[in-house]
Structure formats: C-alpha cells, structure tokens
Amino acid sequence: MVMRFAFCFILFAVALPALAIDRLTASVDKNPVLVGEYFTLTIEANGKVSGQMPDTSAISKNFVTGPISTSSRTQIVNGSMSSATSWQMQVMSRSAGEFTIPAFDISGTKSQPINLRVVARESDESQQKDVFVTTELSPESLYVQQAALYTVKLFIGKDLLDAQMTQPMMDEGSITPMGQQEESYEVLDGRRYRVITRKYLVQPQKSGSFTIEGPIFNGQVREGYRRMAVSAVGDAIDIEVKPIPDDYRGAWLPSELVNLAEEWQPEDKQVIVGSPITRTFTLTALGITKEQMPDLDIPSVDGFRIYPDETDRNQMARDGRVISQMVASYALLPQKPGKYTLPEIQLPWFNTVINRIQYATLPARTIEVIADPNQPQQPVVQPQTNAITQPVAPPSEPEPTIIYKDSEKSWLDWLIMCLGYVLWLATLLTFLFKKSPAPLQTSSTNDQATVTTDAQTKLKLLGKVAKQNDLRQFYTLLRAYVELEYQQSLKAWLSQQPTEIREEIAKLQASLYSSNKQQVELVTLYNYMNKIKKRSKSDAKIHLETLY
C-alpha cells in the first residue's frame, strides 16, 4: 500500500507543471572586460519553464551577440524534485565605457540588471604587443557602387593555439571576401610576428557618411606551459560616400581608369566574301567588380552578319586596387563585295580621380570586301525566245521555167523535169552536210568526265561526314562539291534552291560562326543534296529527248 502511494505521488509530481518560476538570475563570467573581448552571459531559471525563452533583443543595441545555447536539469533529493533551465550566449562590446545589461523577464519573474565596465585596449599594453589587428581601405574616398579594397592584417607574437576572427561590417554596403587568406612573417620593433592577411571587397550602396567596423579577433596562445586567452579589435574607418552626378547618362561606371582595346583576326583590311573575321574586345577597369562590367553595344553593318561569341569576366587585387577585365568576341561574316565602314564605339565612364565624365573610344574602321578569286564568275545567260528558226537553204541556180502545154508531154519534157529534181536533191544534201555538228575533242571529254567523278566523290564524302556529325568538315566539302558540280559559288547556288535547304545551311553557318548553337541535321541536308542531284539528271534527260 505504501509503495503504491509513493508511485502515485511521484507520477503526480512529474506530470504537474510548476505554477511559477521560483527565481530568475543573470550573470557574466568577466567584469570588467576589454573592448572586442567576448564574455559569457548566463541566464538561469529555477522551476518549470515549459519551453519559454528570455528576450535578449535589448542588448543588441550596444553589444555584438552570438547564438543562444539552452540546457536544463532535474534533481530529486530525499523525495523533493527541483528543475532548472539556463541560457548562455557570447557577448562582445566594440567600444569602451559603462554599460547596463537590462533585466530579463520570464512568466512574470525578472532578473536583476548587470552593470558592466568595458575597458579600452590601451590599458593592456602587454597584450597589445602580443596580438593586434590593423585595417586599411584603398581608396579612402568612394562613390556609390565604387569598389574599394579593405585589407585586414592580424599580427601574432606568440604560438597560436586557437583563433576566431569576425568579418568587418558596414551599414548600407556589401563586404565580400576576396581570395584566400595569406600568411607571412614581419619584424616590428625588433620582434618577429606571424601575419595573417585577409582582403575584402567593399561596395557602398547609398551615399552619405558610414563607418566600417573593424574585425574582432579572439583566440588562445601558448605562454610557457599554459594556455592564455587573447583578443584584438581592428580600428573602425569612417568614409564619406558621394552620390551619382546628376548629369551622368548611361550605365554607372565609377573608376580610376578604363581602357578599351580590340584585336582582329585576320588583321588585313581586305577580306574575301564569306571569310569569317573575329573581332575581340578587351575592357579593363580599376575600382569596379566584374559584375559591373557593361555589355558593349556593337552597331550592325549592312553587308555583314555579326554573331556574338563567349564573354569572359575576371577580377583581381593588385597594388591595393581592384582590377576587373572583360573579354568579348564577335564573329563578322561579310556577305557581298564593297567598302564598309564599321562605326566608332564609345563607352561612357566616370573618372573618380578628376570627378569628370570620360569615354573609352574605339575609332571607326574601314574594311574592303572582295569577291573570292577562286570562285568562277557566274555566266550571263541570254534569254531564249520561243520562236523556232527554220533553216534557210543557200541560194542556188535558178531553176528553168517549164512551160506546160495542154498537149501531151514529149520525151524532152520528161528529161528536163528529171534533171530539175536531181539538181534540187543535190542542193538539199549539200545543206545538210554543212549543218552537221563537229565532233568534240577528246581532251574536253576527258576533263568533263574528271569533273563529274570528283563531284561524285565529294558527294559520297558528304554522306560519311554527315553520319560523323562533323559540322566544319561538312561545310568545307559542301562548298567544294557545289563548285565542282554546278560551277557556281555556294551563295549563288543557294539563291536558286528551295527554302528548306537554304534554312538548313543558314543553321549550319550560324552554328559555325556564332554563339547561337542550333541543331543541324547533316543527314537531312545530305538527303536534300541527293534529291537535287537526281532531279538535275532527270531534267537533263527530258531536255535531250525533246531536242531529238
């Protein structure tokens, strides 16, 4: 009976939540503390909490706070049960002075406020010699969205065991790490330091006065046979951010120096129709990021097809400056002979050194496009008339006039008539022998047969290359086949072909000379060529039958 009563009592005690918290306390593990030194704030509640947490938002106004960790415990001593919940967080002050950590409230129970003293680092000169942090901003004067290089150096004079350093902070600005940290050694005042260097990219997003708060270092070093906690804070840097000038037009590009250059492949100012030209632009700028590099506006030129190629953007830090570079290539395909002038290219940018708008300029360029000397000239076809010219017999001797009499013909009359028919027959045979075509020379026949054989070989190779899906080799063979088979350039031959084959070859050219890669069915294109070949043979056969 007693055991049953004790079991029920314990079960009831566990299930019954506490009606209130007995006590709520707040404490710190250090007081006073150094500027930039982390200390631990502990809040503890005796009693059942039921998932509640203290509100710590008030201390964020004067302190830098870390995440909160929660722990709880329950004890039963001599049948008496007690429970407690504690919350801990790392807190740090960036400035010296007297501060008050306010009271905390949970379920109506409040803690006592804490008076905290934060001491400036100059009061601890011995530690300053062991560990210290320096900060530097270049350039110091900035415009909106202008990129600056922020350099942090951590000097450590003892063996480092553990280290943690925060990132610098700035309101209305972005701070991004650049590359990996660097390690080196320097000697200052006769003491050797291990130096850890970190670089950041700073970009203010609004104009006005701002402060870049320096990073905070906390760690442990070895001193003899014991571990010693150390900390350091980088100096804050005040900056004045200037707005975008009202008279500036175009994409905002604030920089100390902008350079625009170009390269041509081939470099000749005289090119052949259909031969691709590669034009490469290189844009270099100081004090901006690679994301800020603008796209170039390349004007179109009548007589040229322009295909954009890949664009590459990079950035790096050198001599305390951020340097960005963009390389963009374009393929130019001349379509017809003539002289063309590619217009001037201008890119506006704002010079932050002299505070003036300037232009990166490429002058106009004249290019002469000539016809392909290896292509035969297209013959001029004379229009054919529908009228059929009848052969005209050469003049012959006048036939004798025969006078018929009503009386019966004599033998002399019959003789004269027969001689007239024989003379007419001889004249007709003479005319026919003069009009018969002369036989072709043997050398011409052999040349024509050779051309036909080469064209057929090229057509067979087109089929093999189509199955291999080799676009460039297929295009080269296609041009050679058309020149052999039809005695025309590819452009002239295409103007006489159906729309579907012109569209397929346009896709092939775009895939070879532009970044607009398209799906080209080479097998389908090869089948088109076979159909055209068969149709040409059929038309030739019908034409010959009509003549004969």
Side-chain angles (χ1 to χ4, degrees):
M1 184 69 179
V2 175
M3 292 296 294
R4 183 180 298 176
F5 177 80
F7 176 77
C8 293
F9 176 79
I10 294 174
L11 183 62
F12 177 78
V14 173
L16 181 64
L19 297 178
I21 297 175
D22 296 337
R23 186 177 58 178
L24 185 65
T25 59
S27 60
V28 293
D29 64 337
K30 299 176 184 178
N31 195 359
V33 295
L34 293 174
V35 171
E37 181 183 16
Y38 276 101
F39 60 92
T40 302
L41 171 65
T42 303
I43 305 169
E44 186 172 357
N46 293 331
K48 195 68 176 179
V49 176
S50 300
Q52 299 181 56
M53 291 187 65
D55 183 9
T56 60
S57 59
I59 64 174
S60 299
K61 298 177 181 179
N62 299 319
F63 299 94
V64 177
T65 61
I68 301 176
S69 61
T70 306
S71 63
S72 59
R73 66 182 185 275
T74 301
Q75 292 180 341
I76 300 177
V77 180
N78 297 328
S80 176
M81 184 180 62
S82 63
S83 61
T85 303
S86 62
W87 299 269
Q88 288 187 338
M89 64 188 304
Q90 296 293 308
V91 184
M92 180 269 294
S93 175
R94 290 183 175 272
S95 57
E98 299 288 339
F99 297 93
T100 300
I101 298 177
F104 301 99
D105 186 348
I106 297 179
S107 300
T109 303
K110 294 184 178 181
S111 65
Q112 294 296 322
I114 301 173
N115 294 321
L116 181 69
R117 181 185 173 205
V118 181
V119 181
R121 291 213 164 252
E122 287 76 12
S123 62
D124 190 2
E125 297 181 357
S126 61
Q127 183 168 311
Q128 285 292 323
K129 294 180 181 179
D130 293 336
V131 178
F132 62 94
V133 178
T134 63
T135 58
E136 181 184 3
L137 181 68
S138 178
E140 298 179 352
S141 177
L142 297 177
Y143 279 84
V144 173
Q145 295 181 357
Q146 182 182 357
L149 191 64
Y150 183 85
T151 305
V152 178
K153 287 188 175 183
L154 171 64
F155 292 80
I156 305 171
K158 292 186 177 181
D159 292 338
L160 184 64
L161 300 177
D162 189 17
Q164 179 183 1
M165 187 163 64
T166 63
Q167 183 170 303
M169 295 188 303
M170 175 186 176
D171 293 335
E172 303 298 342
S174 62
I175 299 180
T176 309
M178 284 195 66
Q180 302 294 327
Q181 69 179 22
E182 303 172 359
E183 293 193 19
S184 60
Y185 289 91
E186 293 185 19
V187 177
L188 297 177
D189 298 330
R191 185 171 181 179
R192 189 169 183 265
Y193 287 89
R194 178 187 176 189
V195 182
I196 298 176
T197 303
R198 292 182 180 178
K199 295 180 179 180
Y200 298 88
L201 191 66
V202 177
Q203 272 189 302
Q205 301 301 318
K206 289 186 178 181
S207 59
S209 299
F210 300 96
T211 300
I212 302 177
E213 300 289 351
I216 300 170
F217 168 78
N218 283 277
Q220 291 183 341
V221 296
R222 176 179 292 135
E223 188 172 3
Y225 294 97
R226 63 188 182 93
R227 300 167 69 97
M228 184 178 69
V230 292
S231 61
V233 179
D235 294 333
I237 299 178
D238 296 327
I239 61 172
E240 187 72 24
V241 181
K242 303 174 186 178
I244 300 175
D246 296 334
D247 59 344
Y248 187 86
R249 299 293 181 270
W252 174 238
L253 196 65
S255 177
E256 299 177 55
L257 177 65
V258 174
N259 181 63
L260 180 60
E262 66 176 347
E263 182 180 354
W264 292 78
Q265 290 292 339
E267 297 181 356
D268 300 335
K269 293 186 178 181
Q270 189 178 73
V271 295
I272 299 175
V273 172
S275 299
I277 309 170
T278 301
R279 190 181 188 185
T280 303
F281 299 94
T282 302
L283 178 64
T284 307
L286 273 66
I288 64 172
T289 63
K290 61 181 181 180
E291 291 79 12
Q292 289 178 273
M293 302 291 278
D295 293 327
L296 298 177
D297 185 14
I298 308 302
S300 60
V301 179
D302 186 23
F304 277 82
R305 288 182 181 176
I306 301 178
Y307 302 99
D309 208 340
E310 294 183 357
T311 300
D312 187 24
R313 289 179 168 88
N314 294 289
Q315 69 183 24
M316 59 181 174
R318 181 176 295 175
D319 298 331
R321 292 291 188 271
V322 180
I323 304 175
S324 296
Q325 190 174 76
M326 180 187 71
V327 179
S329 297
Y330 293 81
L332 283 68
L333 199 63
Q335 301 297 302
K336 54 186 177 180
K339 281 192 175 182
Y340 300 91
T341 299
L342 305 183
E344 179 185 67
I345 297 177
Q346 283 191 345
L347 178 67
W349 63 284
F350 188 81
N351 193 322
T352 58
V353 178
I354 61 177
N355 299 325
R356 184 181 302 170
I357 301 173
Q358 292 187 317
Y359 295 89
T361 306
L362 289 176
R365 183 184 179 102
T366 301
I367 297 179
E368 182 180 2
V369 180
I370 61 175
D372 190 348
N374 297 322
Q375 298 292 336
Q377 296 295 327
Q378 186 173 357
V380 178
V381 181
Q382 296 293 340
Q384 297 181 354
T385 59
N386 295 328
I388 300 177
T389 305
Q390 298 291 341
V392 179
S396 57
E397 297 179 4
E399 298 181 5
T401 303
I402 302 175
I403 302 174
Y404 296 96
K405 296 181 181 180
D406 294 337
S407 60
E408 187 179 358
K409 295 181 178 62
S410 64
W411 64 272
L412 183 60
D413 295 333
W414 286 106
L415 179 61
I416 293 173
M417 185 182 299
C418 290
L419 289 176
Y421 279 113
V422 170
L423 182 60
W424 175 83
L425 183 60
T427 304
L428 180 61
L429 291 175
T430 303
F431 171 78
L432 291 177
F433 278 117
K434 287 184 178 180
K435 284 296 182 178
S436 60
L440 294 175
Q441 296 180 1
T442 307
S443 59
S444 300
T445 305
N446 293 337
D447 292 343
Q448 184 64 29
T450 302
V451 170
T452 305
T453 303
D454 289 344
Q456 291 175 352
T457 303
K458 291 288 190 299
L459 186 61
K460 291 180 180 179
L461 286 176
L462 275 177
K464 294 181 180 179
V465 174
K467 294 178 180 179
Q468 298 172 359
N469 201 30
D470 190 338
L471 301 183
R472 189 168 298 279
Q473 188 175 1
F474 185 90
Y475 185 66
T476 303
L477 288 171
L478 177 64
R479 293 181 60 179
Y481 168 72
V482 170
E483 293 169 4
L484 285 172
E485 179 66 26
Y486 301 103
Q487 298 297 309
Q488 291 179 319
S489 64
L490 181 60
K491 180 180 178 182
W493 179 77
L494 278 177
S495 63
Q496 306 167 9
Q497 303 309 315
T499 304
E500 58 267 16
I501 192 170
R502 292 203 302 269
E503 292 178 351
E504 286 297 325
I505 293 181
K507 291 180 182 178
L508 176 59
Q509 292 172 336
S511 297
L512 289 174
Y513 301 114
S514 74
S515 60
N516 183 19
K517 305 299 181 184
Q518 300 187 32
Q519 185 67 28
V520 183
E521 297 293 341
L522 294 184
V523 176
T524 303
L525 192 53
Y526 170 70
N527 292 334
Y528 280 143
M529 302 300 297
N530 264 332
K531 289 181 181 179
I532 293 173
K533 176 66 175 178
K534 293 178 181 179
R535 186 165 59 244
S536 299
K537 289 183 177 180
S538 176
D539 293 344
K541 183 177 180 181
I542 294 172
H543 183 61
L544 290 175
E545 290 176 353
T546 304
L547 287 177
Y548 287 100

